[in-house]
Amino acid sequence: MRLEVTFKAKHFLSFQQRCRLLSDGKWRKEMQRGVVDAGRKVKTKVQRAVNAQMAVAPGHYQDYVVANTSGISRPGNLSFEISGRKKGAPIETYKGLRALKAGGRAEKRMNAGRGLPDHGYVRSGVWNAPRTFQRSFVQDGGFFALIPSSSESGSLPKAFWTFGAKPDQPRDAAGRFGKTGRKGFRVRSLYGPALGKELPKDASLKTFLTEGPKELEIQIRKRSARLIRF
């Protein structure tokens, strides 16, 4: 009976190469590639989740959600950062947008409990929870809202005009209308939620926490196998 040991140099050299790869820091680059691969896959899933979460209107997924979401590789701490634009999107970006007719049934129903100065005339299905925005109105095809300010300047948009006697409006000695002492307002275009603020909560956050670890494990295992294979 004879025992025979065979030495295959190619296996030894391959082992040396793997050790060298692990010792000189190149393994970090390989691991970061795995992190980036996982991050990109999860980013797509998070984008789809936040699109539904915010009730983005059809046709705006690519030009708003995708265009305003970033994925940045952070090799220094082996991470991949997903972030979104912090500014809110125009209200036209979301589902269920409609203007309410002043004095109509829908306008009265949607403004129940609000004083006349706080009535709104723009309804939206944003967040999948239809609402009428306070002090909102439509003018020249655009959607706007009144924002309280510290001054009394500004002219009230036509949608908020009232007619008839105004017993609460003071008059001066000459019989002219005087100041009421109320705060003024400024007009601002009506915006919905900001993508950057929506990403880290609700369905978007749940998707990230569920899918992130699973995808990261898949990609890191794949890269690790390449490093130790010989």
Side-chain angles (χ1 to χ4, degrees):
M1 180 176 181
R2 185 179 66 177
L3 295 177
E4 182 177 337
V5 177
T6 303
F7 173 72
K8 293 187 178 181
K10 67 174 184 178
H11 290 166
F12 181 69
L13 292 175
S14 180
F15 181 73
Q16 282 185 320
Q17 291 169 352
R18 299 305 171 189
C19 291
R20 191 178 303 115
L21 184 64
L22 294 172
S23 64
D24 66 9
K26 289 183 180 179
W27 68 272
R28 289 185 63 89
K29 292 182 180 180
E30 194 68 20
M31 291 301 99
Q32 183 62 17
R33 291 190 183 103
V35 171
V36 171
D37 287 346
R40 287 173 176 167
K41 290 179 181 292
V42 174
K43 175 171 162 284
T44 298
K45 295 178 181 180
V46 167
Q47 286 173 162
R48 291 172 180 164
V50 81
N51 182 72
Q53 175 179 311
M54 298 169 73
V56 174
H60 288 285
Y61 174 68
Q62 289 292 336
D63 64 25
Y64 177 61
V65 177
V66 175
N68 291 285
T69 307
S70 301
I72 303 173
S73 174
R74 304 289 188 190
N77 58 359
L78 294 176
S79 67
F80 183 85
E81 179 182 301
I82 301 173
S83 61
R85 190 181 183 200
K86 300 295 184 182
K87 184 178 179 180
I91 199 62
E92 293 91 335
T93 307
Y94 305 95
K95 295 178 181 178
L97 181 64
R98 59 175 292 197
L100 302 180
K101 182 180 179 181
R105 290 183 180 180
E107 184 267 318
K108 291 179 180 178
R109 184 177 70 255
M110 299 304 292
N111 285 292
R114 292 176 177 172
L116 187 59
D118 290 329
H119 273 209
Y121 300 89
V122 178
R123 188 180 182 189
S124 172
V126 65
W127 287 300
N128 299 293
R131 70 197 61 218
T132 296
F133 291 98
Q134 192 175 43
R135 297 185 300 276
S136 59
F137 62 97
V138 181
Q139 186 167 296
D140 299 327
F143 300 89
F144 305 91
L146 294 179
I147 308 300
S149 67
S150 57
S151 68
E152 293 184 29
S153 61
S155 57
L156 199 64
K158 189 174 181 179
F160 292 88
W161 290 2
T162 58
F163 302 91
K166 299 178 176 60
D168 61 339
Q169 177 72 53
R171 294 175 179 268
D172 60 18
R176 296 170 299 190
F177 284 127
K179 294 183 177 181
T180 63
R182 296 173 182 165
K183 290 184 178 181
F185 55 86
R186 58 188 175 86
V187 176
R188 189 189 71 180
S189 294
L190 194 57
Y191 285 84
L195 179 64
K197 294 181 179 180
E198 291 293 311
L199 282 172
K201 64 183 183 182
D202 300 334
S204 174
L205 176 60
K206 184 178 180 180
T207 298
F208 176 80
L209 295 176
T210 301
E211 300 298 327
K214 291 192 297 185
E215 193 60 48
L216 184 61
E217 182 177 0
I218 291 171
Q219 298 302 325
I220 292 301
R221 281 180 177 274
K222 185 188 300 183
R223 296 285 174 173
S224 297
R226 292 178 185 177
L227 287 174
I228 63 176
R229 186 184 300 121
F230 64 90

